[in-house]
Amino acid sequence: MKITSIKQQAKRINRYSVFVDDKYVFSLSEIALLDSKLVNGQELTAVKVREFKKLSGEDKLYNQTLRYVAMRLRSRWEIEQYLSRKQASPALIEQILNKLSNISMIDDAKFAEAFVSSRRLLRPAPRRKIIAELRQKHVTGEVIEQVVGNDSSDEQAALLAVIERKRRQNKYQDDLKLMQYLARQGFGYSDIKSALNKP
């Protein structure tokens, strides 16, 4: 069996189709193709063709995962879950996670910092709720403590921002309803009382 041509794909310009004996057999990304050292005219055994087909599938999944991570920062656990949904083997999941770590595309501390910053800016929430959300994404306690810390000024700022936003709605003109809402969001009773009593 001989490689008769290697053609750049029209729709995915970073992938190349490999034809063996004038038939399409598999495709590789530009990087995987360079690493494979495949060239036109190269003879391949049936075993090698099977290996390259397997590599092609793994390479596609790696590139899909890169796109998934590039959309926004994600925790290591979220990426593992994504790969599990794609039915990747545990060994392949570990291999892809290692590759992403090596190019700094997985970093739970950076993820947590971006998550907390975005949360405080777009939807202020109490420290307790942010910690719970980070735990749901399997961020370690050490990273959470490092990122969230014990800054009570952020907690107060978040509480005041929520109060200001909710006061624009008629149903939250009543202090009792607003207190109940804030308590459900995870803010402490004494903090709520103190914030509502501010002039």
Side-chain angles (χ1 to χ4, degrees):
M1 291 190 279
K2 185 191 284 189
I3 296 177
T4 46
S5 67
I6 299 174
K7 295 178 181 172
Q8 187 175 34
Q9 293 185 349
K11 288 185 180 174
R12 296 191 186 118
I13 57 169
N14 67 331
R15 287 195 77 78
Y16 290 79
S17 298
V18 178
F19 293 79
V20 175
D21 296 334
D22 296 320
K23 290 180 184 167
Y24 168 80
V25 178
F26 58 88
S27 69
L28 294 171
S29 66
E30 193 168 359
I31 292 168
L33 181 62
L34 289 170
D35 287 345
S36 73
K37 297 182 173 58
L38 290 174
V39 292
N40 262 337
Q42 186 174 344
E43 293 284 345
L44 295 177
T45 63
V47 171
K48 274 290 177 195
V49 169
R50 278 196 302 277
E51 284 174 11
F52 280 118
K53 280 184 175 180
K54 182 174 181 275
L55 174 65
S56 173
E58 293 171 356
D59 182 48
K60 270 184 193 162
L61 183 56
Y62 173 68
N63 283 289
Q64 287 169 355
T65 310
L66 263 179
R67 280 194 297 278
Y68 175 73
V69 174
M71 286 190 277
R72 72 163 173 82
L73 286 175
R74 298 181 193 269
S75 71
R76 182 181 179 89
W77 176 81
E78 285 179 295
I79 300 166
E80 281 180 41
Q81 293 306 298
Y82 172 80
L83 290 166
S84 292
R85 287 192 303 273
K86 296 281 185 181
Q87 298 177 337
S89 69
L92 181 57
I93 290 172
E94 200 54 41
Q95 181 187 322
I96 290 175
L97 291 173
N98 288 337
K99 273 183 165 181
L100 293 172
S101 289
N102 291 340
I103 58 169
S104 302
M105 293 297 281
I106 298 179
D107 184 332
D108 276 0
K110 278 184 188 170
F111 162 75
E113 281 169 15
F115 181 87
V116 170
S117 170
S118 162
R119 199 71 173 81
R120 285 179 173 154
L121 184 69
L122 302 175
R123 280 192 307 144
R127 182 175 180 274
R128 195 176 340 166
K129 190 169 187 177
I130 290 172
I131 288 171
E133 289 172 348
L134 286 170
R135 282 192 180 130
Q136 284 175 344
K137 295 178 184 298
H138 294 246
V139 176
T140 65
E142 185 184 329
V143 169
I144 291 172
E145 191 55 40
Q146 172 192 326
V147 173
V148 179
N150 290 308
D151 190 354
S152 60
S153 66
D154 280 336
E155 184 87 352
Q156 279 298 312
L159 177 55
L160 292 170
V162 174
I163 289 171
E164 184 185 340
R165 195 175 72 241
K166 289 296 169 184
R167 283 288 197 207
R168 293 184 202 132
Q169 298 174 28
N170 285 337
K171 71 175 179 176
Y172 291 117
Q173 298 307 311
D174 178 289
D175 275 2
L176 182 60
K177 279 189 179 171
L178 183 54
M179 283 176 76
Q180 289 169 341
Y181 171 80
L182 295 168
R184 284 195 306 273
Q185 295 309 301
F187 291 106
Y189 179 74
S190 58
D191 291 337
I192 295 169
K193 283 291 280 180
S194 143
L196 288 176
N197 288 333
K198 283 191 177 178

